[in-house]
Amino acid sequence: MTDAPTAGVDIGGTKIRAALVTPDGEVLASATAPTPSGGRAMLDVAAELVARASATAGRSAAGIGVGAAGVVDPESGEVLAASDSFVDWVGTNLRSGLAARTGLPVTVANDVDSFLVGEATWGTVRGVRSAAGIALGTGVGGALWLDGALYRGAGAAGEIGHMPGFGDARCTCGQRGHLETLASGRSVERRYAEAVGPDGGGPDVVGAAEIEARARAGDEAALRVLTDAGRAVGSAVLVLAALLDVGHVVVGGGLAHAWDLLEPAIRARLADEPPVSGHTVEVRRAVLGGDATVVGAAALAR
């Protein structure tokens, strides 16, 4: 497998992407399709996309790495938990299911774990000994890179989105006050709708990207919800620094497109209560964009 490319697969709530990746992190070819409903259909699409990417590149993959949404058992390959936006996803065995469809060995990880491996291998925290990753998407995911390797704990290490202590709003998992209720794209949309009322565009009208645009145009409610999101991320970074003494945190995901609005709030929160260790924490935006998860998954397969 040393010189052969591996395939990386990113299975998300809205789309699935597969890419053929070289040992030095170059994406040779990729293919994308909407995420269907149901675990079997999702695996069917993932296998088809691997075949399409391989055909485009004119090369075969030596193995497949999968970065999948939800809590994934890296040993069994089974999806243990997922948000309410996924149908028949929990209980799906990614490893055996995709191996049966492709005939290739399959390595399985959470999508944010793969994102962080990508950034640690080829991205903004390349060469860093220890770092944490936070992905601000529809929900909030997290991952840990400790002593030069991905740290998975019992399988769900780094799931910072479901850390409590961030208010009383109900989270998608059914509990209350998690980081995700302030710092996810879905929560930003909900909180903005609550702030402006029905006359300002309801939650089905104003998406996160439009809220970002309104904030840049001076909309106080939009700026406030994004500032609150940034400060919540800053608080989470402080917890990571206190527990693990990580010196680097990389932030990615769709909401990170509003980095110019989030970063000042994150840094202000870090300045409020700097780590007692005296060690600085460097927070960086991810640089690999949509390639991070597929590149990281392919690296894990290697």
Side-chain angles (χ1 to χ4, degrees):
M1 190 180 289
T2 302
D3 298 322
T6 50
V9 179
D10 178 3
I11 300 179
T14 59
K15 65 181 179 181
I16 299 175
R17 181 167 181 250
L20 207 65
V21 184
T22 67
D24 61 0
E26 178 188 359
V27 174
L28 296 175
S30 66
T32 305
T35 302
S37 179
R40 288 189 177 183
M42 292 162 76
L43 291 179
D44 288 341
V45 169
E48 178 187 350
L49 293 175
V50 170
R52 282 169 51 189
S54 298
T56 300
R59 299 182 67 180
S60 298
I64 300 173
V66 181
V71 178
V72 181
D73 186 329
E75 298 302 323
S76 70
E78 183 178 341
V79 179
L80 302 178
S83 75
D84 55 9
S85 61
F86 289 87
V87 178
D88 295 330
W89 188 226
V90 175
T92 300
N93 193 298
L94 302 177
R95 173 175 291 134
S96 62
L98 199 53
R101 287 165 171 80
T102 63
L104 294 171
V106 178
T107 301
V108 177
N110 168 267
D111 55 350
V112 185
D113 284 346
S114 298
F115 150 78
L116 180 56
V117 171
E119 290 290 339
T121 306
W122 302 113
T124 192
V125 287
R126 181 177 183 178
V128 168
R129 188 75 180 158
S130 296
I134 301 176
L136 308 177
T138 303
V140 176
L144 299 172
W145 179 263
L146 302 179
D147 292 330
L150 180 66
Y151 178 75
R152 294 177 172 176
E159 284 294 342
I160 199 168
H162 296 286
M163 177 188 298
F166 292 86
D168 191 49
R170 184 172 294 278
C171 185
T172 56
C173 69
Q175 299 183 45
R176 290 186 178 274
H178 291 179
L179 173 63
E180 192 168 293
T181 66
L182 288 176
S184 68
R186 182 184 292 180
S187 67
V188 164
E189 293 168 357
R190 171 185 55 78
R191 298 184 70 247
Y192 182 74
E194 292 171 352
V196 301
D199 294 335
D204 294 330
V205 176
V206 185
E210 174 62 19
I211 294 169
E212 294 169 27
R214 293 187 182 191
R216 294 189 183 99
D219 184 319
E220 291 185 2
L223 183 58
R224 183 166 62 253
V225 297
L226 287 168
T227 297
D228 288 346
R231 289 190 65 83
V233 171
S235 293
V237 170
L238 287 171
V239 172
L240 288 169
L243 287 176
L244 301 171
D245 200 20
V246 292
H248 297 82
V249 177
V250 55
V251 180
L255 198 62
H257 292 152
W259 187 246
D260 58 316
L261 302 169
L262 296 170
E263 184 183 26
I266 294 172
R267 296 198 181 282
R269 182 69 186 98
L270 297 181
D272 286 345
E273 298 181 70
V276 293
S277 66
H279 300 163
T280 58
V281 182
E282 186 172 339
V283 182
R284 303 175 180 175
R285 181 182 178 182
V287 297
L288 295 181
D291 284 343
T293 298
V294 292
V295 168
L300 286 172
R302 188 164 302 282

